[in-house]
């Protein structure tokens, strides 16, 4: 096989594997991101419930103040009772007392309702905190696994970079420029195998004459349709 073609195939394979490292790393990070998002959502819920509990507590305080006012009103009514002189005054005072008692009953009911609500919110908080702890433990575990995998990917990447730069040291400049020109639009498929007499970049069938030249591998052959560099893949390499 043409030496330049051999170098081009190697270089293209290095470049392809280099481009695949970043998505692999992103994929690892994405695994963690899902768990972090869930944990963040739980934190938001916890904060919202804290706000709701605060509101419930402030409503309860208002009701307590109101209750105290109503109780002192009842005491006033009891005092006034001694000074009553007419039937009309008695009826008015009785009505006032009735209303105050009704309001007290209502305030007590409201306080009970708020207490029940507050304790259900506390339960919800406890559950969410358990969930959050579990989620945070998972994050720690996954973080370790992800870090290890990323470290391995980076090691692999460094090896490929090293091999690539060694290859480039003895690379023909004109061939490199030629390759880079095609790579600009073809990205990682600048150098492609021919399979079933078709270019594996544009998937078009190539004519017999070009195909024969590709098989001979004496020269660098471009796909007549798309311009990518073609090579006949070794039987052993075919997957
Ligand atoms: Zn092609």
């Amino acid at each position: 096989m043409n030496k330049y073609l051999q170098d081009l195939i190697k270089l293209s394979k290095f470049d392809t594997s280099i481009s695949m490292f970043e998505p692999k790393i992103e994929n690892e990070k994405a695994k963690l991101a899902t768990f972090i998002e869930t944990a963040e959502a739980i934190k938001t819920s916890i904060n919202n419930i804290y706000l709701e509990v605060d509101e419930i507590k402030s409503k309860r305080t208002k009701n307590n103040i109101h209750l105290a006012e109503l109780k002192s009103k009842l005491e006033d009514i009891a005092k006034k009772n001694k000074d009553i002189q007419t039937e009309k005054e008695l009826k008015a005072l009785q009505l006032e007392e009735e209303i105050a008692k009704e309001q007290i009953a209502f305030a007590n009911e409201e306080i009970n309702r708020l207490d029940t609500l507050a304790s259900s919110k506390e339960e919800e908080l406890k559950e969410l905190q358990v969930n959050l702890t579990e989620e945070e433990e998972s994050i720690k575990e996954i973080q370790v696994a992800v870090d290890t995998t990323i470290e391995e990917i980076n090691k692999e990447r460094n090896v490929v970079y090293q091999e690539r730069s060694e290859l480039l040291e003895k690379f023909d400049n004109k061939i490199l420029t030629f390759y880079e020109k095609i790579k600009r639009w073809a990205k990682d498929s600048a150098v492609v195998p021919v399979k079933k007499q078709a270019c594996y970049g544009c998937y078009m069938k190539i004519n017999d004459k070009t195909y024969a030249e590709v098989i001979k591998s004496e020269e660098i052959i471009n796909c007549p349709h798309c311009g990518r560099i073609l090579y006949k893949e070794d039987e052993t390499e075919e997957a």
Side-chain angles (χ1 to χ4, degrees), residues 199 202 223 226:
C199 160
C202 66
C223 169
C226 68

Side-chain angles (χ1 to χ4, degrees), residues 11-21 179 183 188-189:
L11 181 61
S12 165
K13 282 184 177 163
F14 287 148
D15 285 346
T16 304
S17 52
I18 285 170
S19 323
M20 277 160 71
F21 288 124
Y179 165 74
K183 198 173 184 286
D188 286 327
S189 67

Side-chain angles (χ1 to χ4, degrees), residues 31-225:
K31 283 184 200 166
L32 198 57
T34 323
F35 283 84
I36 292 174
E37 267 171 39
T38 310
E40 287 306 313
I42 296 173
K43 279 183 199 165
T44 308
S45 304
I46 288 176
N47 283 339
N48 287 341
I49 293 176
Y50 271 128
L51 291 178
E52 284 173 31
V53 169
D54 278 351
E55 207 186 309
I56 293 169
K57 280 180 184 165
S58 107
K59 277 187 189 166
R60 199 190 187 285
T61 307
K62 277 181 196 160
N63 270 285
N64 273 337
I65 294 169
H66 190 45
L67 201 57
E69 285 168 357
L70 289 168
K71 279 177 182 164
S72 78
K73 194 174 184 183
L74 269 188
E75 281 163 20
D76 286 348
I77 292 169
K79 275 179 209 158
K80 278 185 200 164
N81 235 335
K82 294 169 197 157
D83 309 324
I84 282 172
Q85 273 154 12
T86 67
E87 185 79 4
K88 199 179 167 191
E89 276 176 355
L90 180 69
K91 277 195 173 165
L93 206 58
Q94 275 173 344
L95 185 63
E96 219 179 307
E97 190 182 13
E98 236 171 75
I99 291 170
K101 278 181 178 169
E102 256 175 43
Q103 285 174 330
I104 287 173
F106 183 76
N108 276 325
E109 255 174 51
E110 187 61 6
I111 287 170
N112 280 338
R113 190 186 71 85
L114 292 170
D115 284 349
T116 311
L117 193 59
S119 58
S120 89
K121 293 283 168 195
E122 304 282 355
E123 281 303 308
E124 224 178 300
L125 268 181
K126 269 186 215 161
E127 254 175 61
L128 284 171
Q129 260 142 1
V130 169
N131 289 349
L132 183 61
T133 311
E134 282 172 2
E135 209 65 27
E136 279 171 343
E137 273 163 18
S138 305
I139 288 172
K140 268 187 218 160
E141 279 170 31
I142 296 163
Q143 180 80 62
V144 173
V146 164
D147 285 350
T148 311
T149 312
I150 289 179
E151 211 182 296
E152 279 163 16
I153 294 172
N154 279 330
K155 271 186 205 161
E156 266 176 67
R157 174 152 69 177
N158 288 341
V159 170
V160 177
Y161 270 127
Q162 182 60 33
E163 285 172 348
R164 185 184 187 273
S165 71
E166 278 165 21
L167 176 67
L168 281 184
E169 276 170 24
K170 47 182 177 130
F171 215 89
D172 183 274
N173 264 334
K174 270 186 197 164
I175 301 287
L176 184 61
T177 312
F178 177 61
Y179 165 74
E180 279 170 348
K181 240 183 214 173
I182 298 172
K183 198 173 184 286
R184 224 175 284 158
W185 59 266
K187 311 287 177 214
D188 286 327
S189 67
V191 182
V192 290
V194 173
K195 291 181 187 175
K196 292 181 179 132
Q197 208 177 324
C199 160
Y200 252 60
C202 66
Y203 302 103
M204 302 255 293
K205 205 115 186 151
I206 54 171
N207 60 47
D208 293 345
K209 185 179 167 285
T210 311
Y211 188 49
E213 284 171 340
V214 170
I215 290 169
K216 261 195 267 169
S217 304
E218 281 168 3
E219 280 171 75
I220 293 170
I221 308 295
N222 295 85
C223 169
H225 310 288

